[in-house]
Amino acid sequence: AQTVTQSQPEMSVQEAETVTLSCTYDTSESDYYLFWYKQPPSRQMILVIRQEAYKQQNATENRFSVNFQKAAKSFSLKISDSQLGDAAMYFCAYRSARDGNQFYFGTGTSLTVIP
Amino acid sequence: KAGVTQTPRYLIKTRGQQVTLSCSPISGHRSVSWYQQTPGQGLQFLFEYFSETQRNKGNFPGRFSGRQFSNSRSEMNVSTLELGDSALYLCASSNWPYKGQPNTEAFFGQGTRLTVV
């Protein structure tokens, strides 16, 4: 079974600074997708960024970017110019290319943004 | 386009009772999956439905069941509630099997907070 590991239960960052959240995963599959979801106190899970495993280029969405290392099975999220609204729980997630709508989630990293 | 709607938002039930939670996916989405979120176990996959059929099931006891209707709305049921069933239950919809858009994400509802006393 696939497993996703987030080794940082809590992180903090000063406003306007950069922070990196770590994620590793374990799979025997070659075709899959990786995601970072954000869950603010409102509980709504919101997609931050996604990465296709077959793409070598790292995904970028505005202030959010990933460092995808397929061989190392590592998928870290970098948040640049951190804003107060970035404070939330962040979940790394894995989805197999053949598993439909089934996601495997890490345990989450709680991000605090310090004004 | 309306998002994923879960009802009710909050529930308080007594041990031994049963409960039914509802999820209406985004219009046009036919795949619905359910997750249980607890502080200790994180997000755990319960089951997935597509076209009224269960495609996948997570490692939960038979007290947890679900179904999907022809309009893609889904319900999950928990019978003989236990204290440990207290959790946030999240529903996610997607347009799997994607048809040319293989990397689409799942869209989540705001969840139902179930408290068992």
Side-chain angles (χ1 to χ4, degrees):
Chain A
Q2 289 76 10
T3 58
V4 179
T5 302
Q6 293 178 250
S7 59
Q8 306 155 315
E10 297 177 347
M11 291 282 284
S12 62
V13 61
Q14 293 280 349
E15 196 175 2
E17 297 295 308
T18 296
V19 65
T20 298
L21 308 184
S22 301
C23 172
T24 59
Y25 58 95
D26 188 24
T27 183
S28 59
E29 298 180 335
S30 59
D31 195 9
Y32 52 87
Y33 305 94
L34 297 166
F35 305 82
W36 279 97
Y37 276 91
K38 168 185 176 181
Q39 187 180 41
S42 67
R43 306 177 335 203
Q44 183 91 48
M45 295 277 276
I46 302 164
L47 177 70
V48 175
I49 198 166
R50 62 180 164 225
Q51 174 80 43
E52 300 92 321
Y54 60 84
K55 287 187 177 179
Q56 291 189 339
Q57 186 174 6
N58 290 323
T60 300
E61 287 286 342
N62 300 313
R63 299 182 295 108
F64 299 88
S65 62
V66 298
N67 184 3
F68 173 49
Q69 301 289 327
K70 190 172 184 179
K73 296 179 181 174
S74 170
F75 182 61
S76 61
L77 173 70
K78 185 171 82 171
I79 306 174
S80 304
D81 185 26
S82 296
Q83 301 175 358
L84 295 178
D86 294 334
M89 184 72 82
Y90 286 81
F91 291 95
C92 178
Y94 169 103
R95 178 174 70 78
S96 166
R98 58 178 176 80
D99 254 354
N101 204 13
Q102 181 174 354
F103 285 70
Y104 298 86
F105 288 90
T107 50
T109 296
S110 178
L111 179 65
T112 300
V113 180
I114 303 165
Chain B
K1 209 174 197 182
V4 179
T5 303
Q6 289 189 247
T7 57
R9 292 287 305 279
Y10 300 91
L11 265 178
I12 299 176
K13 290 287 188 178
T14 305
R15 269 184 303 175
Q17 287 186 312
Q18 75 165 18
V19 67
T20 299
L21 313 182
S22 178
C23 171
S24 293
I26 290 172
S27 177
H29 286 189
R30 292 191 291 159
S31 174
V32 174
S33 56
W34 290 87
Y35 296 83
Q36 181 195 65
Q37 185 177 15
T38 60
Q41 300 296 320
L43 280 147
Q44 292 188 287
F45 172 76
L46 281 156
F47 27 64
E48 178 195 358
Y49 286 88
F50 174 76
S51 288
E52 303 177 64
T53 301
Q54 188 179 90
R55 289 192 67 248
N56 287 305
K57 189 179 192 314
N59 189 25
F60 278 82
R63 300 185 297 106
F64 291 82
S65 63
R67 60 177 174 169
Q68 186 179 34
F69 302 93
S70 59
N71 62 358
S72 295
R73 188 178 72 85
S74 177
E75 289 182 346
M76 67 163 280
N77 183 279
V78 188
S79 62
T80 319
L81 283 165
E82 300 177 359
L83 295 179
D85 298 333
S86 295
L88 178 67
Y89 290 88
L90 291 169
C91 160
S93 84
S94 81
N95 65 353
W96 185 90
Y98 304 133
K99 295 180 181 178
Q101 297 177 316
N103 63 343
T104 191
E105 75 270 25
F107 295 84
F108 286 81
Q110 288 192 283
T112 294
R113 172 76 67 187
L114 172 65
T115 302
V116 182
V117 297

